[in-house]
Amino acid sequence: MGALTPPVVILARPQLGENIGAAARAMKNCGLTDLRLVDPRDGWPNLAALPMAAAGKDIIESAKVYKTLGDALHDVTFLVATSARPRDMAKPVSDPRSVAPLLVGHHEQFTDSGRYAGLLFGAERSGLDNDELALADIIVQADLNPEATSLNLAQAVFLMAWEWRVAALHHIAAAKPAETVSSKTMSPKMPTDSEIIPATGSARDFFFTRLEKILDERHFFGSPEMAPVVKRNLRTYFTRGTPTEQELNTLHGILTLFEQGKGLG
Amino acid sequence: MGALTPPVVILARPQLGENIGAAARAMKNCGLTDLRLVDPRDGWPNLAALPMAAAGKDIIESAKVYKTLGDALHDVTFLVATSARPRDMAKPVSDPRSVAPLLVGHHEQFTDSGRYAGLLFGAERSGLDNDELALADIIVQADLNPEATSLNLAQAVFLMAWEWRVAALHHIAAAKPAETVSSKTMSPKMPTDSEIIPATGSARDFFFTRLEKILDERHFFGSPEMAPVVKRNLRTYFTRGTPTEQELNTLHGILTLFEQGKGLG
């Protein structure tokens, strides 16, 4: 992730160790590292966390526990709180995609001085209470299906971590010379594996011509009027797949078999 | 979600009922509804799925089970496969954010005719195998932490569902003032003529199976070790061109001629 320090993740009053573990895995997937637990219901360490953490084992092992949210925020200077329910609070409300560049921007400015952005998540059932929300700079609500706005804890963590990651990668790419950016934003793209060599236009034409000759000899095209149309359609289809050299070789092998079949007659 | 039909979700050989349930919850959060299971390890229904599904209970209850991936794709004409590991496959590779508008664009064009886009996810441990990947139009890889690229199944489903949802909401918002946002410009390979109907995944699978049988009978594949590799390469190439119904019909015509040629011998 280059020089960009990820936001810290703060779980307020988390309940199940499994959920804490799954949250750590989601953090690890997206390159976040700093997990803080405020007053976890079942104490800490929690044996149920590790199996769910998968590659995020190190995040569980280095997680810090705090008695109060205030303590957990000792070095957090920009706090984003997630909430499924709208509150009557005089606070800015944003969505995950819009807030991600703000997290990146904060780090650009402040991380060197030991000030971090933080993502705050509430307890599984109840979410964040009003006192916790009051500490946040921004409240984030994802525009989810109105029939099912409640994410499980690990999904909520993953959603914010993913949005941060994409914004951070974009930020890093944008800071590089234009040349290197373009290949990243270009998509969909073919694999760049050097063994995959696209066939030349000549090689394609040679294949088409051979295919058409074989089909002509077997009266495949029906009427003379239809022949050019069907040939063009075949060329269009076979070209659209952008055949590689190896693929054309395989197709030629099939044509040879085809010709031999006739030879038997 | 307005008039936009969401993509169907296909889980290939899923193992744990809990994961299927969590995937359904993630779908529900993002407004997806159609869940298809190919050869679930522990059979179906699976009692472990419902508790994890939360608000996605209805998705679990209406999930359909198929014996083969080909069957599950009977009405799917644009298939996006997720893979954590890069493969040496000559297929377009994209990322979740770039592919989401393609899913939206496909639906804009084709959903009224009962043709759907699909999101394909592999088994928990092993992911998608090469034969499954070969049926996809595009492979999606999320740019995750290189130290932890493996998402749990529900996270992977959530990631794709969320990216689809944001793209769909954006599309609807952009289309409101003037219905001018052309979905057709978003998807480079998609034919735009309304008479051009993409073939379903099942139809592709049927064609491949027939081609392979013909070639097998003529000992095309040489050694038994090489046969699966060559078959996969052929499937990959023929899929990459996103064949239309008419094109597959033409190719079937060629195969018929091929078979008759043998009959002459």
PDB file of all heavy atoms in Angstrom, chain A residues 28-29 143 145 148 155 162-163 165 187 189 193 237-238 240-241 247, chain B residues 28-29 88 93-94 143 145 148 155 162-163 165 237-238 240-241 247:
ATOM      1  N   LYS A  28      -7.455  -7.758   7.453  1.00  0.00           N
ATOM      2  CA  LYS A  28      -6.227  -8.279   6.829  1.00  0.00           C
ATOM      3  C   LYS A  28      -6.363  -8.318   5.304  1.00  0.00           C
ATOM      4  O   LYS A  28      -5.432  -7.953   4.578  1.00  0.00           O
ATOM      5  CB  LYS A  28      -5.945  -9.683   7.361  1.00  0.00           C
ATOM      6  CG  LYS A  28      -4.614 -10.259   6.923  1.00  0.00           C
ATOM      7  CD  LYS A  28      -3.456  -9.630   7.671  1.00  0.00           C
ATOM      8  CE  LYS A  28      -2.113 -10.225   7.266  1.00  0.00           C
ATOM      9  NZ  LYS A  28      -1.016  -9.694   8.108  1.00  0.00           N
ATOM     10  N   ASN A  29      -7.531  -8.760   4.829  1.00  0.00           N
ATOM     11  CA  ASN A  29      -7.766  -8.815   3.384  1.00  0.00           C
ATOM     12  C   ASN A  29      -7.507  -7.465   2.723  1.00  0.00           C
ATOM     13  O   ASN A  29      -7.062  -7.391   1.582  1.00  0.00           O
ATOM     14  CB  ASN A  29      -9.206  -9.238   3.090  1.00  0.00           C
ATOM     15  CG  ASN A  29      -9.478 -10.718   3.308  1.00  0.00           C
ATOM     16  OD1 ASN A  29     -10.519 -11.088   3.852  1.00  0.00           O
ATOM     17  ND2 ASN A  29      -8.573 -11.589   2.910  1.00  0.00           N
ATOM     18  N   ASP A 143     -26.061   2.674   1.539  1.00  0.00           N
ATOM     19  CA  ASP A 143     -27.383   2.645   0.916  1.00  0.00           C
ATOM     20  C   ASP A 143     -27.743   1.203   0.556  1.00  0.00           C
ATOM     21  O   ASP A 143     -27.629   0.787  -0.588  1.00  0.00           O
ATOM     22  CB  ASP A 143     -27.373   3.531  -0.334  1.00  0.00           C
ATOM     23  CG  ASP A 143     -28.782   3.783  -0.856  1.00  0.00           C
ATOM     24  OD1 ASP A 143     -29.725   3.122  -0.373  1.00  0.00           O
ATOM     25  OD2 ASP A 143     -28.926   4.640  -1.737  1.00  0.00           O
ATOM     26  N   ASN A 145     -30.293  -2.390   0.783  1.00  0.00           N
ATOM     27  CA  ASN A 145     -31.686  -2.785   0.591  1.00  0.00           C
ATOM     28  C   ASN A 145     -32.511  -2.368   1.818  1.00  0.00           C
ATOM     29  O   ASN A 145     -32.237  -2.823   2.922  1.00  0.00           O
ATOM     30  CB  ASN A 145     -31.716  -4.316   0.415  1.00  0.00           C
ATOM     31  CG  ASN A 145     -33.106  -4.842   0.190  1.00  0.00           C
ATOM     32  OD1 ASN A 145     -34.084  -4.105   0.205  1.00  0.00           O
ATOM     33  ND2 ASN A 145     -33.192  -6.152  -0.014  1.00  0.00           N
ATOM     34  N   ALA A 148     -33.319  -4.860   4.368  1.00  0.00           N
ATOM     35  CA  ALA A 148     -32.261  -5.567   5.101  1.00  0.00           C
ATOM     36  C   ALA A 148     -31.046  -4.661   5.236  1.00  0.00           C
ATOM     37  O   ALA A 148     -30.046  -4.841   4.545  1.00  0.00           O
ATOM     38  CB  ALA A 148     -31.886  -6.859   4.385  1.00  0.00           C
ATOM     39  N   GLN A 155     -18.982  -7.952   7.947  1.00  0.00           N
ATOM     40  CA  GLN A 155     -19.334  -7.371   6.646  1.00  0.00           C
ATOM     41  C   GLN A 155     -19.194  -5.852   6.694  1.00  0.00           C
ATOM     42  O   GLN A 155     -18.732  -5.229   5.730  1.00  0.00           O
ATOM     43  CB  GLN A 155     -20.780  -7.715   6.255  1.00  0.00           C
ATOM     44  CG  GLN A 155     -21.068  -9.188   6.033  1.00  0.00           C
ATOM     45  CD  GLN A 155     -20.518  -9.730   4.729  1.00  0.00           C
ATOM     46  OE1 GLN A 155     -19.432  -9.358   4.317  1.00  0.00           O
ATOM     47  NE2 GLN A 155     -21.264 -10.626   4.113  1.00  0.00           N
ATOM     48  N   TRP A 162     -12.670  -2.206   2.476  1.00  0.00           N
ATOM     49  CA  TRP A 162     -12.567  -2.314   1.016  1.00  0.00           C
ATOM     50  C   TRP A 162     -12.628  -0.940   0.364  1.00  0.00           C
ATOM     51  O   TRP A 162     -11.832  -0.612  -0.524  1.00  0.00           O
ATOM     52  CB  TRP A 162     -13.673  -3.223   0.492  1.00  0.00           C
ATOM     53  CG  TRP A 162     -13.869  -3.164  -0.993  1.00  0.00           C
ATOM     54  CD1 TRP A 162     -14.932  -2.598  -1.648  1.00  0.00           C
ATOM     55  CD2 TRP A 162     -12.993  -3.668  -2.011  1.00  0.00           C
ATOM     56  NE1 TRP A 162     -14.770  -2.724  -3.009  1.00  0.00           N
ATOM     57  CE2 TRP A 162     -13.597  -3.373  -3.264  1.00  0.00           C
ATOM     58  CE3 TRP A 162     -11.773  -4.335  -1.988  1.00  0.00           C
ATOM     59  CZ2 TRP A 162     -13.002  -3.732  -4.475  1.00  0.00           C
ATOM     60  CZ3 TRP A 162     -11.177  -4.679  -3.204  1.00  0.00           C
ATOM     61  CH2 TRP A 162     -11.799  -4.379  -4.424  1.00  0.00           C
ATOM     62  N   GLU A 163     -13.590  -0.124   0.805  1.00  0.00           N
ATOM     63  CA  GLU A 163     -13.709   1.208   0.205  1.00  0.00           C
ATOM     64  C   GLU A 163     -12.457   2.037   0.487  1.00  0.00           C
ATOM     65  O   GLU A 163     -11.990   2.786  -0.374  1.00  0.00           O
ATOM     66  CB  GLU A 163     -14.971   1.916   0.735  1.00  0.00           C
ATOM     67  CG  GLU A 163     -16.277   1.317   0.212  1.00  0.00           C
ATOM     68  CD  GLU A 163     -16.479   1.558  -1.292  1.00  0.00           C
ATOM     69  OE1 GLU A 163     -15.803   2.443  -1.861  1.00  0.00           O
ATOM     70  OE2 GLU A 163     -17.316   0.861  -1.894  1.00  0.00           O
ATOM     71  N   ARG A 165      -9.481   0.769   0.854  1.00  0.00           N
ATOM     72  CA  ARG A 165      -8.399   0.194   0.043  1.00  0.00           C
ATOM     73  C   ARG A 165      -8.449   0.684  -1.405  1.00  0.00           C
ATOM     74  O   ARG A 165      -7.428   1.062  -1.983  1.00  0.00           O
ATOM     75  CB  ARG A 165      -8.459  -1.331   0.076  1.00  0.00           C
ATOM     76  CG  ARG A 165      -7.304  -1.963  -0.682  1.00  0.00           C
ATOM     77  CD  ARG A 165      -7.224  -3.460  -0.481  1.00  0.00           C
ATOM     78  NE  ARG A 165      -6.062  -3.965  -1.193  1.00  0.00           N
ATOM     79  CZ  ARG A 165      -4.834  -3.956  -0.714  1.00  0.00           C
ATOM     80  NH1 ARG A 165      -4.602  -3.496   0.497  1.00  0.00           N
ATOM     81  NH2 ARG A 165      -3.816  -4.402  -1.435  1.00  0.00           N
ATOM     82  N   SER A 187      -9.628  -1.710 -18.304  1.00  0.00           N
ATOM     83  CA  SER A 187     -10.263  -2.931 -17.860  1.00  0.00           C
ATOM     84  C   SER A 187     -11.556  -3.131 -18.627  1.00  0.00           C
ATOM     85  O   SER A 187     -12.220  -2.176 -18.930  1.00  0.00           O
ATOM     86  CB  SER A 187     -10.502  -2.779 -16.372  1.00  0.00           C
ATOM     87  OG  SER A 187     -11.476  -3.640 -15.929  1.00  0.00           O
ATOM     88  N   LYS A 189      -9.026  -6.334 -19.127  1.00  0.00           N
ATOM     89  CA  LYS A 189      -7.810  -6.445 -19.911  1.00  0.00           C
ATOM     90  C   LYS A 189      -7.389  -7.903 -20.026  1.00  0.00           C
ATOM     91  O   LYS A 189      -7.692  -8.726 -19.178  1.00  0.00           O
ATOM     92  CB  LYS A 189      -6.705  -5.618 -19.284  1.00  0.00           C
ATOM     93  CG  LYS A 189      -6.371  -6.013 -17.859  1.00  0.00           C
ATOM     94  CD  LYS A 189      -5.200  -5.195 -17.374  1.00  0.00           C
ATOM     95  CE  LYS A 189      -4.712  -5.630 -15.991  1.00  0.00           C
ATOM     96  NZ  LYS A 189      -5.518  -5.205 -14.882  1.00  0.00           N
ATOM     97  N   ASP A 193       0.600 -12.224 -19.601  1.00  0.00           N
ATOM     98  CA  ASP A 193       1.527 -13.346 -19.638  1.00  0.00           C
ATOM     99  C   ASP A 193       2.241 -13.401 -20.988  1.00  0.00           C
ATOM    100  O   ASP A 193       1.627 -13.365 -22.046  1.00  0.00           O
ATOM    101  CB  ASP A 193       0.748 -14.642 -19.421  1.00  0.00           C
ATOM    102  CG  ASP A 193       1.668 -15.809 -19.142  1.00  0.00           C
ATOM    103  OD1 ASP A 193       2.683 -15.927 -19.854  1.00  0.00           O
ATOM    104  OD2 ASP A 193       1.377 -16.571 -18.220  1.00  0.00           O
ATOM    105  N   TYR A 237     -17.278 -13.677 -35.410  1.00  0.00           N
ATOM    106  CA  TYR A 237     -17.243 -14.422 -34.152  1.00  0.00           C
ATOM    107  C   TYR A 237     -15.829 -14.854 -33.797  1.00  0.00           C
ATOM    108  O   TYR A 237     -15.355 -14.633 -32.675  1.00  0.00           O
ATOM    109  CB  TYR A 237     -18.164 -15.643 -34.201  1.00  0.00           C
ATOM    110  CG  TYR A 237     -17.893 -16.553 -33.039  1.00  0.00           C
ATOM    111  CD1 TYR A 237     -18.229 -16.167 -31.740  1.00  0.00           C
ATOM    112  CD2 TYR A 237     -17.232 -17.769 -33.217  1.00  0.00           C
ATOM    113  CE1 TYR A 237     -17.942 -16.964 -30.658  1.00  0.00           C
ATOM    114  CE2 TYR A 237     -16.939 -18.580 -32.132  1.00  0.00           C
ATOM    115  CZ  TYR A 237     -17.287 -18.174 -30.858  1.00  0.00           C
ATOM    116  OH  TYR A 237     -16.995 -18.963 -29.791  1.00  0.00           O
ATOM    117  N   PHE A 238     -15.134 -15.452 -34.757  1.00  0.00           N
ATOM    118  CA  PHE A 238     -13.795 -15.967 -34.447  1.00  0.00           C
ATOM    119  C   PHE A 238     -12.816 -14.832 -34.115  1.00  0.00           C
ATOM    120  O   PHE A 238     -11.873 -15.015 -33.364  1.00  0.00           O
ATOM    121  CB  PHE A 238     -13.259 -16.826 -35.601  1.00  0.00           C
ATOM    122  CG  PHE A 238     -13.759 -18.239 -35.580  1.00  0.00           C
ATOM    123  CD1 PHE A 238     -14.765 -18.660 -36.437  1.00  0.00           C
ATOM    124  CD2 PHE A 238     -13.236 -19.155 -34.673  1.00  0.00           C
ATOM    125  CE1 PHE A 238     -15.223 -19.973 -36.405  1.00  0.00           C
ATOM    126  CE2 PHE A 238     -13.691 -20.467 -34.631  1.00  0.00           C
ATOM    127  CZ  PHE A 238     -14.694 -20.884 -35.504  1.00  0.00           C
ATOM    128  N   ARG A 240     -13.741 -11.969 -32.636  1.00  0.00           N
ATOM    129  CA  ARG A 240     -14.125 -11.327 -31.379  1.00  0.00           C
ATOM    130  C   ARG A 240     -13.407 -11.942 -30.192  1.00  0.00           C
ATOM    131  O   ARG A 240     -13.133 -11.260 -29.196  1.00  0.00           O
ATOM    132  CB  ARG A 240     -15.643 -11.396 -31.197  1.00  0.00           C
ATOM    133  CG  ARG A 240     -16.179 -10.325 -30.274  1.00  0.00           C
ATOM    134  CD  ARG A 240     -17.681 -10.127 -30.448  1.00  0.00           C
ATOM    135  NE  ARG A 240     -18.413 -11.330 -30.158  1.00  0.00           N
ATOM    136  CZ  ARG A 240     -19.309 -11.888 -30.977  1.00  0.00           C
ATOM    137  NH1 ARG A 240     -19.570 -11.339 -32.147  1.00  0.00           N
ATOM    138  NH2 ARG A 240     -19.934 -12.982 -30.647  1.00  0.00           N
ATOM    139  N   GLY A 241     -13.105 -13.210 -30.277  1.00  0.00           N
ATOM    140  CA  GLY A 241     -12.385 -13.866 -29.189  1.00  0.00           C
ATOM    141  C   GLY A 241     -10.892 -13.557 -29.160  1.00  0.00           C
ATOM    142  O   GLY A 241     -10.189 -14.003 -28.273  1.00  0.00           O
ATOM    143  N   GLU A 247      -4.072 -20.947 -29.909  1.00  0.00           N
ATOM    144  CA  GLU A 247      -5.471 -21.297 -30.172  1.00  0.00           C
ATOM    145  C   GLU A 247      -5.715 -21.520 -31.665  1.00  0.00           C
ATOM    146  O   GLU A 247      -6.414 -22.462 -32.056  1.00  0.00           O
ATOM    147  CB  GLU A 247      -6.390 -20.200 -29.618  1.00  0.00           C
ATOM    148  CG  GLU A 247      -6.508 -20.257 -28.100  1.00  0.00           C
ATOM    149  CD  GLU A 247      -7.037 -18.974 -27.478  1.00  0.00           C
ATOM    150  OE1 GLU A 247      -7.190 -17.969 -28.188  1.00  0.00           O
ATOM    151  OE2 GLU A 247      -7.276 -18.980 -26.261  1.00  0.00           O
TER     152      GLU A 247
ATOM    153  N   LYS B  28     -29.103 -10.315   0.291  1.00  0.00           N
ATOM    154  CA  LYS B  28     -30.293  -9.561   0.713  1.00  0.00           C
ATOM    155  C   LYS B  28     -29.932  -8.116   1.050  1.00  0.00           C
ATOM    156  O   LYS B  28     -30.647  -7.181   0.683  1.00  0.00           O
ATOM    157  CB  LYS B  28     -30.926 -10.248   1.924  1.00  0.00           C
ATOM    158  CG  LYS B  28     -32.256  -9.649   2.360  1.00  0.00           C
ATOM    159  CD  LYS B  28     -33.355 -10.050   1.422  1.00  0.00           C
ATOM    160  CE  LYS B  28     -34.708  -9.499   1.853  1.00  0.00           C
ATOM    161  NZ  LYS B  28     -35.791 -10.009   0.989  1.00  0.00           N
ATOM    162  N   ASN B  29     -28.815  -7.927   1.749  1.00  0.00           N
ATOM    163  CA  ASN B  29     -28.382  -6.573   2.094  1.00  0.00           C
ATOM    164  C   ASN B  29     -28.272  -5.683   0.859  1.00  0.00           C
ATOM    165  O   ASN B  29     -28.519  -4.484   0.914  1.00  0.00           O
ATOM    166  CB  ASN B  29     -27.017  -6.603   2.796  1.00  0.00           C
ATOM    167  CG  ASN B  29     -27.073  -7.106   4.232  1.00  0.00           C
ATOM    168  OD1 ASN B  29     -26.217  -7.874   4.662  1.00  0.00           O
ATOM    169  ND2 ASN B  29     -28.069  -6.683   4.993  1.00  0.00           N
ATOM    170  N   ASP B  88      -3.281 -18.904 -15.716  1.00  0.00           N
ATOM    171  CA  ASP B  88      -2.794 -18.669 -17.069  1.00  0.00           C
ATOM    172  C   ASP B  88      -3.893 -18.992 -18.048  1.00  0.00           C
ATOM    173  O   ASP B  88      -3.832 -19.973 -18.781  1.00  0.00           O
ATOM    174  CB  ASP B  88      -1.554 -19.516 -17.346  1.00  0.00           C
ATOM    175  CG  ASP B  88      -0.381 -18.983 -16.566  1.00  0.00           C
ATOM    176  OD1 ASP B  88      -0.376 -17.776 -16.291  1.00  0.00           O
ATOM    177  OD2 ASP B  88       0.519 -19.757 -16.226  1.00  0.00           O
ATOM    178  N   VAL B  93      -9.417 -10.229 -17.544  1.00  0.00           N
ATOM    179  CA  VAL B  93      -9.437 -10.147 -16.087  1.00  0.00           C
ATOM    180  C   VAL B  93      -9.790  -8.720 -15.721  1.00  0.00           C
ATOM    181  O   VAL B  93      -9.280  -7.775 -16.314  1.00  0.00           O
ATOM    182  CB  VAL B  93      -8.062 -10.523 -15.498  1.00  0.00           C
ATOM    183  CG1 VAL B  93      -8.063 -10.312 -13.991  1.00  0.00           C
ATOM    184  CG2 VAL B  93      -7.718 -11.966 -15.836  1.00  0.00           C
ATOM    185  N   SER B  94     -10.692  -8.570 -14.780  1.00  0.00           N
ATOM    186  CA  SER B  94     -11.098  -7.237 -14.381  1.00  0.00           C
ATOM    187  C   SER B  94     -11.152  -7.167 -12.856  1.00  0.00           C
ATOM    188  O   SER B  94     -10.810  -8.126 -12.170  1.00  0.00           O
ATOM    189  CB  SER B  94     -12.452  -6.894 -15.002  1.00  0.00           C
ATOM    190  OG  SER B  94     -12.785  -5.549 -14.765  1.00  0.00           O
ATOM    191  N   ASP B 143      -8.228  -6.437  -5.843  1.00  0.00           N
ATOM    192  CA  ASP B 143      -6.848  -6.083  -5.515  1.00  0.00           C
ATOM    193  C   ASP B 143      -6.715  -6.003  -3.998  1.00  0.00           C
ATOM    194  O   ASP B 143      -6.721  -4.928  -3.411  1.00  0.00           O
ATOM    195  CB  ASP B 143      -6.507  -4.745  -6.169  1.00  0.00           C
ATOM    196  CG  ASP B 143      -5.012  -4.466  -6.128  1.00  0.00           C
ATOM    197  OD1 ASP B 143      -4.299  -5.198  -5.422  1.00  0.00           O
ATOM    198  OD2 ASP B 143      -4.570  -3.529  -6.790  1.00  0.00           O
ATOM    199  N   ASN B 145      -4.931  -7.258  -0.144  1.00  0.00           N
ATOM    200  CA  ASN B 145      -3.625  -7.393   0.486  1.00  0.00           C
ATOM    201  C   ASN B 145      -2.936  -8.666  -0.009  1.00  0.00           C
ATOM    202  O   ASN B 145      -3.465  -9.762   0.188  1.00  0.00           O
ATOM    203  CB  ASN B 145      -3.849  -7.457   2.006  1.00  0.00           C
ATOM    204  CG  ASN B 145      -2.559  -7.586   2.791  1.00  0.00           C
ATOM    205  OD1 ASN B 145      -1.470  -7.645   2.224  1.00  0.00           O
ATOM    206  ND2 ASN B 145      -2.704  -7.631   4.101  1.00  0.00           N
ATOM    207  N   ALA B 148      -3.013 -11.669   2.108  1.00  0.00           N
ATOM    208  CA  ALA B 148      -4.284 -12.301   2.496  1.00  0.00           C
ATOM    209  C   ALA B 148      -5.318 -12.064   1.403  1.00  0.00           C
ATOM    210  O   ALA B 148      -6.212 -11.234   1.548  1.00  0.00           O
ATOM    211  CB  ALA B 148      -4.788 -11.728   3.830  1.00  0.00           C
ATOM    212  N   GLN B 155     -18.042 -12.925   2.239  1.00  0.00           N
ATOM    213  CA  GLN B 155     -17.391 -11.641   1.958  1.00  0.00           C
ATOM    214  C   GLN B 155     -17.246 -11.436   0.455  1.00  0.00           C
ATOM    215  O   GLN B 155     -17.426 -10.334  -0.059  1.00  0.00           O
ATOM    216  CB  GLN B 155     -15.998 -11.581   2.594  1.00  0.00           C
ATOM    217  CG  GLN B 155     -15.968 -11.639   4.111  1.00  0.00           C
ATOM    218  CD  GLN B 155     -16.396 -10.357   4.779  1.00  0.00           C
ATOM    219  OE1 GLN B 155     -17.315  -9.689   4.302  1.00  0.00           O
ATOM    220  NE2 GLN B 155     -15.776 -10.036   5.892  1.00  0.00           N
ATOM    221  N   TRP B 162     -22.235  -5.615  -3.396  1.00  0.00           N
ATOM    222  CA  TRP B 162     -22.133  -4.196  -3.043  1.00  0.00           C
ATOM    223  C   TRP B 162     -21.695  -3.358  -4.245  1.00  0.00           C
ATOM    224  O   TRP B 162     -22.265  -2.303  -4.539  1.00  0.00           O
ATOM    225  CB  TRP B 162     -21.153  -4.021  -1.880  1.00  0.00           C
ATOM    226  CG  TRP B 162     -20.711  -2.600  -1.648  1.00  0.00           C
ATOM    227  CD1 TRP B 162     -19.483  -2.076  -1.909  1.00  0.00           C
ATOM    228  CD2 TRP B 162     -21.511  -1.533  -1.105  1.00  0.00           C
ATOM    229  NE1 TRP B 162     -19.457  -0.745  -1.577  1.00  0.00           N
ATOM    230  CE2 TRP B 162     -20.683  -0.384  -1.077  1.00  0.00           C
ATOM    231  CE3 TRP B 162     -22.823  -1.428  -0.660  1.00  0.00           C
ATOM    232  CZ2 TRP B 162     -21.139   0.852  -0.612  1.00  0.00           C
ATOM    233  CZ3 TRP B 162     -23.277  -0.196  -0.200  1.00  0.00           C
ATOM    234  CH2 TRP B 162     -22.434   0.924  -0.175  1.00  0.00           C
ATOM    235  N   GLU B 163     -20.695  -3.843  -4.969  1.00  0.00           N
ATOM    236  CA  GLU B 163     -20.238  -3.081  -6.132  1.00  0.00           C
ATOM    237  C   GLU B 163     -21.341  -2.993  -7.185  1.00  0.00           C
ATOM    238  O   GLU B 163     -21.523  -1.956  -7.820  1.00  0.00           O
ATOM    239  CB  GLU B 163     -18.967  -3.714  -6.715  1.00  0.00           C
ATOM    240  CG  GLU B 163     -17.726  -3.529  -5.836  1.00  0.00           C
ATOM    241  CD  GLU B 163     -17.266  -2.073  -5.769  1.00  0.00           C
ATOM    242  OE1 GLU B 163     -17.661  -1.267  -6.630  1.00  0.00           O
ATOM    243  OE2 GLU B 163     -16.493  -1.743  -4.840  1.00  0.00           O
ATOM    244  N   ARG B 165     -24.518  -3.007  -6.507  1.00  0.00           N
ATOM    245  CA  ARG B 165     -25.557  -2.119  -5.985  1.00  0.00           C
ATOM    246  C   ARG B 165     -25.193  -0.644  -6.192  1.00  0.00           C
ATOM    247  O   ARG B 165     -26.022   0.160  -6.613  1.00  0.00           O
ATOM    248  CB  ARG B 165     -25.800  -2.393  -4.497  1.00  0.00           C
ATOM    249  CG  ARG B 165     -26.923  -1.552  -3.932  1.00  0.00           C
ATOM    250  CD  ARG B 165     -27.307  -1.935  -2.510  1.00  0.00           C
ATOM    251  NE  ARG B 165     -28.432  -1.108  -2.085  1.00  0.00           N
ATOM    252  CZ  ARG B 165     -29.693  -1.357  -2.384  1.00  0.00           C
ATOM    253  NH1 ARG B 165     -30.003  -2.424  -3.064  1.00  0.00           N
ATOM    254  NH2 ARG B 165     -30.650  -0.531  -2.001  1.00  0.00           N
ATOM    255  N   TYR B 237     -11.286 -20.283 -25.439  1.00  0.00           N
ATOM    256  CA  TYR B 237     -11.311 -19.466 -26.653  1.00  0.00           C
ATOM    257  C   TYR B 237     -12.735 -19.238 -27.141  1.00  0.00           C
ATOM    258  O   TYR B 237     -13.142 -18.103 -27.420  1.00  0.00           O
ATOM    259  CB  TYR B 237     -10.475 -20.110 -27.759  1.00  0.00           C
ATOM    260  CG  TYR B 237     -10.747 -19.437 -29.075  1.00  0.00           C
ATOM    261  CD1 TYR B 237     -10.308 -18.127 -29.291  1.00  0.00           C
ATOM    262  CD2 TYR B 237     -11.510 -20.055 -30.058  1.00  0.00           C
ATOM    263  CE1 TYR B 237     -10.610 -17.469 -30.467  1.00  0.00           C
ATOM    264  CE2 TYR B 237     -11.803 -19.408 -31.235  1.00  0.00           C
ATOM    265  CZ  TYR B 237     -11.356 -18.115 -31.432  1.00  0.00           C
ATOM    266  OH  TYR B 237     -11.670 -17.462 -32.582  1.00  0.00           O
ATOM    267  N   PHE B 238     -13.522 -20.309 -27.220  1.00  0.00           N
ATOM    268  CA  PHE B 238     -14.872 -20.160 -27.759  1.00  0.00           C
ATOM    269  C   PHE B 238     -15.751 -19.295 -26.844  1.00  0.00           C
ATOM    270  O   PHE B 238     -16.658 -18.615 -27.304  1.00  0.00           O
ATOM    271  CB  PHE B 238     -15.528 -21.533 -27.991  1.00  0.00           C
ATOM    272  CG  PHE B 238     -15.123 -22.173 -29.293  1.00  0.00           C
ATOM    273  CD1 PHE B 238     -14.210 -23.212 -29.313  1.00  0.00           C
ATOM    274  CD2 PHE B 238     -15.643 -21.715 -30.493  1.00  0.00           C
ATOM    275  CE1 PHE B 238     -13.823 -23.802 -30.521  1.00  0.00           C
ATOM    276  CE2 PHE B 238     -15.268 -22.297 -31.699  1.00  0.00           C
ATOM    277  CZ  PHE B 238     -14.348 -23.342 -31.717  1.00  0.00           C
ATOM    278  N   ARG B 240     -14.592 -16.790 -24.989  1.00  0.00           N
ATOM    279  CA  ARG B 240     -14.103 -15.412 -24.979  1.00  0.00           C
ATOM    280  C   ARG B 240     -14.816 -14.556 -26.021  1.00  0.00           C
ATOM    281  O   ARG B 240     -14.992 -13.362 -25.837  1.00  0.00           O
ATOM    282  CB  ARG B 240     -12.593 -15.392 -25.187  1.00  0.00           C
ATOM    283  CG  ARG B 240     -11.943 -14.136 -24.678  1.00  0.00           C
ATOM    284  CD  ARG B 240     -10.450 -14.316 -24.509  1.00  0.00           C
ATOM    285  NE  ARG B 240      -9.822 -14.634 -25.766  1.00  0.00           N
ATOM    286  CZ  ARG B 240      -9.004 -15.674 -25.971  1.00  0.00           C
ATOM    287  NH1 ARG B 240      -8.697 -16.487 -24.983  1.00  0.00           N
ATOM    288  NH2 ARG B 240      -8.494 -15.893 -27.145  1.00  0.00           N
ATOM    289  N   GLY B 241     -15.243 -15.167 -27.091  1.00  0.00           N
ATOM    290  CA  GLY B 241     -15.948 -14.414 -28.116  1.00  0.00           C
ATOM    291  C   GLY B 241     -17.399 -14.130 -27.775  1.00  0.00           C
ATOM    292  O   GLY B 241     -18.092 -13.491 -28.556  1.00  0.00           O
ATOM    293  N   GLU B 247     -24.658 -17.592 -33.771  1.00  0.00           N
ATOM    294  CA  GLU B 247     -23.301 -18.077 -34.018  1.00  0.00           C
ATOM    295  C   GLU B 247     -23.139 -19.526 -33.578  1.00  0.00           C
ATOM    296  O   GLU B 247     -22.511 -20.334 -34.276  1.00  0.00           O
ATOM    297  CB  GLU B 247     -22.289 -17.172 -33.316  1.00  0.00           C
ATOM    298  CG  GLU B 247     -22.104 -15.849 -34.052  1.00  0.00           C
ATOM    299  CD  GLU B 247     -21.479 -14.756 -33.208  1.00  0.00           C
ATOM    300  OE1 GLU B 247     -21.320 -14.966 -31.987  1.00  0.00           O
ATOM    301  OE2 GLU B 247     -21.185 -13.688 -33.755  1.00  0.00           O
TER     302      GLU B 247
END
